[in-house]
Amino acid sequence: MVFGSPAAQLVFSTLLRVGSASRVEVVRRTGLSSAAVTKAVQPLLAAGYLLEAPLDAPGETAPRGIGRPASPLSVRGERAFFVGIKITADELIGTVTDLRAQAVVSRRRPLNSHTVDHVVTMISRLTGELLATSADYRARCRQLAIAISGDVDAATGLVGYSPFLDWHTVPLAQLAAQATGLETVVENDVRALTVAEQWFGGGVGAHSFVLVTVGAGIGCGIVVNDAVVAGAHGVAGELGHLPIEQDGPVCHCGNRGCVEAIASDDAIIEAIRLAHHTTLDPAGALRLARAGDPAARAAYTRAGHAIGLALASVANLIGPERILISGEGLAGYDLFEDQLRATFATRAFGAAGNCELFVRPLPFEEWARGAAVVAIRDLITAESK
């Protein structure tokens, strides 16, 4: 079992994140002894998961002084491939990554129906298209990983509730595995993106951080003491359903005044539509607001206030080092940023206000990659479970 020991998992995940490092550097970064690193590295090299540059490789020269050259270790990316798929209300976004989580091919396909059968069929077709782009991808594909919004039990692959698809109690992992013939894992989409940001993105170097996504919904991924928090029931981070207005608009969850009922894309559009008694799309809402329309500007300002309250609440509760703000709703970020930051500054308590806010525009391909990163993480940790 190459990943069976905590030391092997730590060494491999460290090399994934840093790219390459000498054994001495791995010892320094992990805190393991030289003997423990050597013991962990040998089976990983033998199984082809790691590469070690030969001592006479070009550019590998000994440092000044005595001693043997430091041969860098690195992850062999082509050892395995993973398919990651992000499901939205309108389309599937798929990508193939190598073992280093580098995307090698991506595709998008529309969804014409939200029925479970149709979505599973399209997942199977997209997976086939992605793997058909290279014989190596198909031969060495280890897992299919799916990211979807809502209440997801990652341990069983059951989607308890996904609001944008109107799904209830769907065994998606089982159905997708049957359709594709691949072992399948399903994770909440924001949590999957959080894992990718923790390992490779805006969360690198932070022991605690929060990722908040704005757009069709308001999502939240939480990392505390280097661990992604799912909660006892897998629904930790439902920041979008934090109630902030007692008599606010009705949310799709059935409650009133949720952040999502005020600050999601649809909520903003609905507020502007009611003011003008006309139909609108997201682009039209943005045009009105940027043209100075009072109702449109007010809707975005109200959204900024709602998100600022939500961010202050999470900062007060968790005390993260940083909060990353992402999602497709960032197209209108300039319209609500000032209100968001002003509300956060006044509502964050004491030192919680020192939490830095970073904007991270990420395309949906990165969310699909996040699903693949979850699969890579599971590969590393599965043998010890």
Side-chain angles (χ1 to χ4, degrees), residues 17 38 41 68 88 102 139 153 162 194 234 293-294 300 312 335 363 376:
R17 294 169 184 176
T38 296
V41 163
R68 67 195 298 267
T88 76
Q102 299 298 306
D153 184 342
S162 187
T194 301
D293 180 82
Y300 279 100
L335 297 168
I376 295 171

Side-chain angles (χ1 to χ4, degrees), residues 3 12 16 80-82 97-102 143 145 185 199-200 369-382:
F3 297 110
F12 192 80
L16 267 178
F81 295 94
F82 304 82
T97 77
D98 64 14
L99 188 53
R100 295 171 300 184
Q102 299 298 306
Q143 199 170 48
V185 61
W199 283 27
F200 306 109
R369 176 176 177 251
V373 173
V374 169
I376 295 171
R377 180 197 63 184
D378 287 355
L379 168 68
I380 299 169
T381 60

Side-chain angles (χ1 to χ4, degrees), residues 58-119:
E60 289 300 322
T61 58
R64 293 185 181 273
I66 61 174
R68 67 195 298 267
S71 303
L73 294 161
S74 60
V75 174
R76 182 174 169 239
E78 66 272 19
R79 176 62 172 79
F81 295 94
F82 304 82
V83 176
I85 292 179
K86 154 73 172 165
I87 304 177
T88 76
D90 305 313
E91 62 181 344
L92 301 180
I93 302 92
T95 190
V96 175
T97 77
D98 64 14
L99 188 53
R100 295 171 300 184
Q102 299 298 306
V104 292
V105 62
S106 298
R107 296 281 190 277
R108 290 189 177 215
R109 293 293 178 265
L111 279 181
N112 299 318
S113 168
H114 290 169
T115 66
V116 174
D117 286 346
H118 177 74
V119 174

